[in-house]
Amino acid sequence: MPNSTTPFHTSFFSVRDYECDMQGIVNNSVYQNYLEHARHSFIKSRGLDFAEITESGIHLVLMKAELEYKRSLKSGDDFFIETFVERISRFKFVFHQTILDSDRNKFLSAKMTIASITAAGKPIIFEQANALL
């Protein structure tokens, strides 16, 4: 969990009709899209550009996704994602993400483990990572 000095980033969304399944709730796979967009927005908010990071030879790849669904979002729901990052090694980071509505009802908690690797798949130190912490 973050402490008082750990910055959260907040990204805002609205559920679109086509993201829902036959049950009228957001399809489970769509949450991954929301979370990825929020991570990229977080990175950008820290003055970094995901495309430029990749062009520099560093690939930030998802190694592990842990999603705990609490409630279902429905078409038209407005929600936001809070994100913060924790370093777990020289090459790995965990993006902690929570989907909430305006009443702070929790819809999903996620731990997304990211590694910094080269195009050949070798670990590489992401020097600019401190901007995320």
Side-chain angles (χ1 to χ4, degrees):
M1 279 307 286
N3 58 39
S4 60
T5 62
T6 304
F8 272 107
H9 177 265
T10 304
S11 300
F12 296 90
F13 297 85
S14 292
V15 175
R16 297 164 290 206
D17 293 340
Y18 64 84
E19 296 170 327
C20 298
D21 59 22
M22 291 185 65
Q23 299 169 348
I25 59 176
V26 171
N27 183 281
N28 68 83
S29 65
V30 174
Y31 289 90
Q32 291 264 10
N33 292 327
Y34 296 151
L35 296 169
E36 182 174 21
H37 183 80
R39 288 193 305 275
H40 287 216
S41 180
F42 176 89
I43 290 169
K44 188 174 185 175
S45 77
R46 298 301 187 262
L48 303 174
D49 181 276
F50 193 81
E52 289 176 7
I53 294 166
T54 303
E55 288 170 10
S56 76
I58 297 172
H59 297 253
L60 301 179
V61 296
L62 181 65
M63 294 187 63
K64 184 177 182 181
E66 299 175 64
L67 285 71
E68 186 175 349
Y69 299 91
K70 305 284 189 178
R71 298 171 183 233
S72 297
L73 289 166
K74 298 179 181 88
S75 181
D77 283 350
D78 294 321
F79 64 97
F80 60 96
I81 300 176
E82 290 182 336
T83 302
F84 76 93
V85 176
E86 168 189 27
R87 182 191 296 267
I88 58 173
S89 78
R90 294 182 337 156
F91 308 108
K92 293 181 187 174
F93 306 87
V94 173
F95 281 77
H96 296 272
Q97 297 181 277
T98 306
I99 296 180
L100 303 157
D101 67 11
S102 60
D103 294 325
R104 298 204 58 83
N105 292 311
K106 188 183 290 187
F107 288 79
L108 181 141
S109 296
K111 285 177 55 179
M112 311 300 269
T113 304
I114 309 295
S116 54
I117 63 171
T118 66
K122 304 265 188 214
I124 185 171
I125 294 174
F126 176 39
E127 298 290 347
Q128 297 172 302
N130 287 338
L132 304 176
L133 305 172

